[in-house]
Amino acid sequence: MRQYAETGLVAIDLANTWDEYLDDPERLPDVPALRRFCTELGVPGFSDRRTGSVSAADLDEVRAVRSRLRQVLDGDPEQRARALARWADEAPMRAVVAESAGTPVLRLAAPSTASLGQRLTVRAVTELLDLAASGDWERVRLCAASPCQDAFVDRSRPGRRQFCSTRCANRAHAAASRARHR
């Protein structure tokens, strides 16, 4: 059963490893949880036990990446774009040419010596740039149900979704109904 890979995007799923609805909002409480996150999201090196080792220092670094990621996702699309540009400028990455269906494609990659946090940073930045290039940048949102702050990509046809899940939509509507009837 998958615990972390809800969207398959490191950028969104890592941001959502902090969940205000839980008694303990930290969804990456320890090194085994981080290992499972990396395995579920296909972070390179985690199918092999020898190269997929993580430490407490990695956990601290990944939590810092998550914090930066949440800062990037906060705000309107223009603010997010500026924050993403600053983060991309600081990230340790290089451009590589990969092949996609026989066509060369320019991709961003972390250096071979990059730490786990740096690899996740490069992947998150790349995914967010891909969302922008696909026209979905304005559909990246944070849930409107307080206290939830989960990130999501609104894939609905009209593009007006406000909540990350049915759970949050139901809770927000029930709270609004109770407030009206007081």
Side-chain angles (χ1 to χ4, degrees):
M1 178 174 142
R2 289 185 168 263
Q3 181 177 356
Y4 297 106
E6 295 170 356
T7 68
L9 295 172
V10 165
I12 303 298
D13 291 336
L14 180 58
N16 294 343
T17 60
W18 184 267
D19 189 346
E20 291 291 335
Y21 273 124
L22 300 176
D23 290 336
D24 178 6
E26 180 60 73
R27 292 186 58 219
L28 289 177
D30 51 31
V31 169
L34 178 57
R35 173 178 272 289
R36 182 169 179 160
F37 175 86
C38 292
T39 300
E40 284 184 20
L41 285 149
V43 175
F46 283 87
S47 58
D48 179 346
R49 290 179 155 235
R50 288 172 284 129
T51 59
S53 63
V54 293
S55 67
D58 290 322
L59 181 60
D60 291 340
E61 184 184 23
V62 169
R63 286 177 177 166
V65 170
R66 176 186 62 200
S67 182
R68 181 72 184 265
L69 179 57
R70 293 193 63 78
Q71 290 172 359
V72 168
L73 294 173
D74 197 18
D76 66 36
E78 285 184 32
Q79 291 169 322
R80 287 195 319 262
R82 286 190 296 276
L84 179 58
R86 282 190 303 275
W87 197 24
D89 189 46
E90 297 166 9
M93 55 188 165
R94 57 191 177 89
V96 297
V97 177
E99 182 187 331
S100 177
T103 304
V105 178
L106 185 64
R107 301 298 307 166
L108 300 175
S112 59
T113 58
S115 67
L116 176 58
Q118 291 170 329
R119 287 184 290 163
L120 290 175
T121 293
V122 170
R123 184 155 164 194
V125 166
T126 300
E127 289 173 353
L128 292 175
L129 290 170
D130 287 346
L131 283 170
S134 71
D136 287 334
W137 186 244
E138 293 194 13
R139 290 179 172 239
V140 176
R141 306 213 169 94
L142 296 180
C143 186
S146 183
C148 184
Q149 287 292 297
D150 277 1
F152 66 96
V153 179
D154 178 2
R155 304 268 189 212
S156 69
R157 183 174 292 189
R160 293 189 300 259
R161 191 172 135 202
Q162 297 179 325
F163 306 105
C164 67
S165 65
T166 303
R167 171 190 78 167
C168 282
N170 289 343
R171 287 178 178 169
H173 294 311
S177 177
R178 282 191 302 274
R180 281 192 305 271
H181 291 95
R182 284 187 187 167

